[in-house]
Amino acid sequence: MSHTHWLTLALTYLAAAVIAVPLARRLGVGAIIGYLGAGFAIGPWGLRLVTDPSQIVDLAEFGVVLMLFLIGLELEPRRLWSMRRPIFGWGSVQLLGSLALIAGIGWACMGFWPDGWRLALVAGAALAMSSTAIGLATLNERNILPTTGGQNILSVSLFQDIAAIPLLALIPLMAPERVGGADAGHPLLAGAKAFGMIALIVLGGRLVLRPALRFIARSQTPEIFTAAALGLVVGTAALMQAVGLSMALGAFLAGVLLAESEYRRELETDIEPFKGLLLGLFFIAVGMGIDLGVVLHNPWQVAAIVAGFLAVKTLVLWGMEIGIPIPRLERPVFTLLLAQGGEFGFVVLQAAQGQQVIDGAQAGVLTAAITLSMLLTPLLILAADRWWMPLLAKFSPRAKVSELAEPQDAPVIIAGFGRYGQIIGRLLHANGIQATVLDHDAEAIEALRKFGFGVHYGDATRLDLLRIAGAAKARVLVVAVDGIEPSLELVDIARENFPNLAIVARARNVQHWYQLNERGVRYIERETLDAALTSARSVLELMGWEPHRARTLAMRFRRHSVQQLRDMAPHFRDESKLVSLARAGRQQLEQLFAQERLEHPPVAKTWDGATQPGDEGFDEIEGERVAPVREGPPET
């Protein structure tokens, strides 16, 4: 394929995404629908700008691999081990239960035709799988991965990836004798290879990965570290694919092995842009793969298959929801994300067709049904947000949490009501200031409302919900949501649509602070700074410093730290400049405090003791006389 053709394809994909995704977000339907719509628009049944979607599928599937790697980085091995029961327990219930019911109903619909069991079993295996890409991308987009429902969706998705090898190994055994008779030993051999490869990745990750990353990091060449991060993901994915396992599962294992590494955040920063771009390409490829020809020739058959397997899987998931249990307001998303078909279904059907278990026409109808379910899922979730969940909250005696529906007029909006947001809300309430509180965790909201907190269910990054919350008239928006990406997205939406709304934001770390500052947010607080300084004051007092002297030093350090962040902000993308400024600043601050220790040696006194002579300046918090802050170059 010529370079010109590749450039034309790249321009087509990028232009479609740039146009469709912002439009979809503005309409409030989410980025995934935008990508799917873009793919359909440029595909064979749209404008025909791309007539062969397979040209991009292999590259696009790598977005799912990168996404699983990043999720693995958030799961320490101990936490993953604690999830073993939902992964293998509920995961097997969903997969095997759905497979058995779909296959049984399908064979019955064929009148128990003697050879029909093969088609029924293949269809059951293909339709029982769910889309890992759409499921986890939706959880990340809505910031609900940490919730009970989100964690169980992750568990079931991981089990489906693990179950890939036995499902594919069974297909040759179902083939006619002339095709599959010679492969009787294949499942055992494949299982041994898979187990050996997993052991190799786990062992190699423990012994090799961290020393290798440490060696690369010492080169102080950011682009080489980025290349190493991508090479790590590609390498583990290739090893797993070589033995027939899911590439995404290999990347997930690599992420888990590095979850406790000192390079975890650096890896996340380097991989994230590639993940978002390639995952978008995957959804575009799914949109282009919609074959309207098959649907138009078999409309009732395709519709019956889609409705049938969605209903069967919903029944299985309904039983799981009772047993787990999942909060009622998280159940619609849990059900819809796991009821849809998935990309692995395409692999099962392709393998079955190659072994002559099913023919091309049967594979085409099932592929169309899976693709349609993946296209419908984001739309069904949107409909559930608008109509199903409010009805569920209204008529369920247990679910007293309802999505915000009535317009609010409080002067303050608090987005996120975890530990951080609760402290802000309590202080405002104690001073007679009303606030509209939004949070996306239904389980936490139910608990908070028992204690008298007025918290509304909803995703604060939704523009329509912000309008109902009164953002157009409110004076202050407090951004206290958990994730960094949702926090930045909320700030972007608020600044674009409500320019008169003052933003007070929580920063998870220094990099988050820089990104908020770059967006023009001026009231930013790092979530651990004050707690750490209070503990440091206690340590100083225990080591002999007077209480008021310890407090003065802590406040001086705080002002210095905040100011140096502002000084470093223009250079936060230049790592070498940041390192240079940080080292110089830390050295100067240590020299400053060392000089003060000589002038005012620590003496054990109480708060009633006299202020040490030589203090100059004024502390605005407590009204104490303190030495002036002498700012030096920034430090870490």
Side-chain angles (χ1 to χ4, degrees):
M1 186 177 294
S2 68
H3 294 296
T4 304
H5 185 63
W6 272 113
L7 287 174
T8 303
L9 280 179
L11 180 61
T12 301
Y13 292 130
L14 292 174
V18 167
I19 294 171
V21 174
L23 180 61
R25 283 196 176 276
R26 177 146 322 254
L27 294 174
V29 296
I32 294 175
I33 295 179
Y35 283 121
L36 293 172
F40 182 79
I42 65 176
W45 291 93
L47 300 174
R48 296 185 60 83
L49 298 177
V50 180
T51 56
D52 184 9
S54 63
Q55 294 173 339
I56 201 67
V57 168
D58 290 338
L59 176 63
E61 286 181 348
F62 200 62
V64 184
V65 173
L66 294 177
M67 178 175 64
L68 264 293
F69 176 74
L70 291 176
I71 290 173
L73 283 176
E74 298 295 331
L75 289 174
E76 297 178 355
R78 287 191 300 270
R79 186 180 169 197
L80 181 62
W81 178 250
S82 70
M83 294 173 62
R84 65 191 183 280
R85 290 182 180 176
I87 291 174
F88 291 98
W90 294 115
S92 60
V93 168
Q94 185 277 327
L95 182 61
L96 299 179
S98 299
L99 191 158
L101 285 175
I102 293 172
I105 294 173
W107 195 24
C109 290
M110 289 184 281
F112 299 105
W113 170 44
D115 287 335
W117 66 270
R118 291 188 177 91
L119 173 58
L121 199 56
V122 168
L127 299 176
M129 307 296 285
S130 309
S131 174
T132 299
I134 292 179
L136 298 185
T138 301
L139 294 178
N140 285 325
E141 186 178 37
R142 299 164 69 92
N143 192 29
I144 55 176
L145 184 59
T147 64
T148 302
Q151 289 296 288
N152 280 280
I153 290 172
L154 173 62
S155 298
V156 172
S157 299
L158 289 176
F159 180 81
Q160 291 180 358
D161 283 334
I162 294 170
I165 185 75
L167 283 178
L168 289 176
L170 285 173
I171 290 176
L173 300 181
M174 294 187 291
E177 188 67 25
R178 65 183 182 277
V179 177
D183 292 330
H186 175 67
L188 290 177
L189 179 61
K193 286 182 178 179
F195 179 80
M197 187 57 68
I198 291 174
L200 177 64
I201 289 176
V202 172
L203 214 60
R206 287 289 185 184
L207 300 176
V208 178
L209 281 185
R210 290 191 187 181
L213 289 175
R214 191 174 297 117
F215 172 77
I216 295 168
R218 285 173 183 166
S219 70
Q220 296 185 351
T221 311
E223 62 272 18
I224 297 301
F225 192 89
T226 301
L230 289 172
L232 166 65
V233 180
V234 173
T236 52
L239 289 174
M240 294 296 266
Q241 189 182 42
V243 295
L245 278 174
S246 164
M247 292 191 298
L249 179 61
F252 175 79
L253 285 176
V256 171
L257 292 172
L258 291 170
E260 296 177 324
S261 163
E262 63 269 34
Y263 302 108
R264 169 184 163 187
R265 294 301 177 193
E266 184 72 19
L267 289 167
E268 286 180 338
T269 303
D270 288 344
I271 295 290
E272 185 69 36
F274 298 97
K275 184 266 291 184
L277 178 61
L278 292 175
L279 200 57
L281 282 178
F282 174 81
F283 294 131
I284 290 177
V286 171
M288 288 190 297
I290 299 172
D291 191 343
L292 281 187
V294 173
V295 177
L296 293 175
H297 282 91
N298 307 276
W300 298 113
Q301 186 181 8
V302 172
I305 292 173
V306 172
F309 86 77
L310 288 179
V312 168
K313 292 175 75 174
T314 297
L315 180 64
V316 174
L317 294 166
W318 177 78
M320 290 172 57
E321 290 165 357
I322 297 175
I324 292 179
I326 293 177
R328 289 178 182 268
L329 286 179
E330 294 178 15
R331 292 181 184 182
V333 173
F334 176 82
T335 301
L336 292 171
L337 289 181
L338 291 178
Q340 66 179 319
E343 54 274 2
F344 186 74
F346 304 145
V347 180
V348 171
L349 294 174
Q350 185 179 13
Q353 188 178 353
Q355 293 289 332
Q356 299 180 18
V357 179
I358 61 175
D359 59 37
Q362 294 165 339
V365 169
L366 291 171
T367 299
I370 292 173
T371 306
L372 272 180
S373 73
M374 295 169 69
L375 177 65
L376 288 173
T377 295
L379 296 173
L380 291 174
I381 290 176
L382 183 64
D385 282 340
R386 300 287 171 84
W387 296 295
W388 185 0
M389 294 178 70
L391 285 175
L392 184 65
K394 182 177 180 180
F395 294 107
S396 172
R398 290 181 58 194
K400 298 180 180 179
V401 183
S402 59
E403 188 175 66
L404 186 63
E406 297 295 328
Q408 305 292 307
D409 57 4
V412 178
I413 299 172
I414 301 177
F417 210 58
R419 292 169 296 177
Y420 196 94
Q422 286 178 37
I423 292 173
I424 297 173
R426 290 173 60 188
L427 179 60
L428 294 179
H429 183 73
N431 285 277
I433 299 176
Q434 297 300 313
T436 300
V437 182
L438 301 173
D439 199 278
H440 67 273
D441 190 337
E443 190 174 19
I445 292 173
E446 289 185 15
L448 287 167
R449 298 192 77 169
K450 292 178 183 178
F451 291 91
F453 291 106
V455 186
H456 299 281
Y457 179 82
D459 180 4
T461 60
R462 280 175 43 192
L463 179 58
D464 60 332
L465 198 64
L466 280 178
R467 293 190 190 279
I468 297 174
K473 297 180 180 179
R475 295 175 58 186
V476 180
L477 170 65
V478 178
V479 180
V481 295
D482 288 332
I484 293 177
E485 290 304 319
S487 167
L488 298 175
E489 182 181 357
L490 176 54
V491 168
D492 289 339
I493 292 172
R495 288 187 60 79
E496 179 181 353
N497 296 279
F498 312 105
N500 295 324
L501 190 62
I503 298 176
V504 175
R506 160 203 198 180
R508 298 299 299 267
N509 51 45
V510 171
Q511 289 299 320
H512 190 195
W513 191 99
Y514 287 143
Q515 291 173 295
L516 289 168
N517 181 76
E518 186 181 40
R519 285 163 166 77
V521 181
R522 291 295 169 259
Y523 303 96
I524 314 171
E525 293 297 337
R526 284 176 286 165
E527 60 181 14
T528 58
L529 177 62
D530 288 312
L533 285 175
T534 301
S535 296
R537 283 175 51 189
S538 299
V539 174
L540 289 176
E541 291 175 22
L542 290 170
M543 295 302 296
W545 267 257
E546 297 171 314
H548 75 276
R549 171 60 56 186
R551 182 203 168 283
T552 297
L553 293 173
M555 291 304 301
R556 187 174 302 164
F557 182 94
R558 188 188 196 286
R559 289 196 299 272
H560 180 82
S561 178
V562 170
Q563 183 58 46
Q564 67 190 4
L565 271 183
R566 298 194 182 281
D567 294 339
M568 294 173 74
H571 312 289
F572 86 95
R573 298 186 188 280
D574 185 348
E575 184 178 1
S576 60
K577 182 70 171 178
L578 284 182
V579 170
S580 174
L581 291 173
R583 288 178 175 174
R586 184 169 60 249
Q587 183 178 6
Q588 185 164 347
L589 188 66
E590 290 171 356
Q591 292 173 350
L592 171 66
F593 278 20
Q595 180 62 34
E596 292 197 358
R597 286 197 302 275
L598 292 176
E599 299 175 0
H600 307 286
V603 179
K605 290 185 179 180
T606 67
W607 278 99
D608 295 331
T611 301
Q612 290 285 343
D615 290 345
E616 300 171 1
F618 190 77
D619 188 315
E620 68 276 11
I621 304 294
E622 296 284 345
E624 293 183 88
R625 306 299 298 183
V626 299
V629 178
R630 287 167 281 183
E631 300 295 351
E635 49 92 29
T636 303

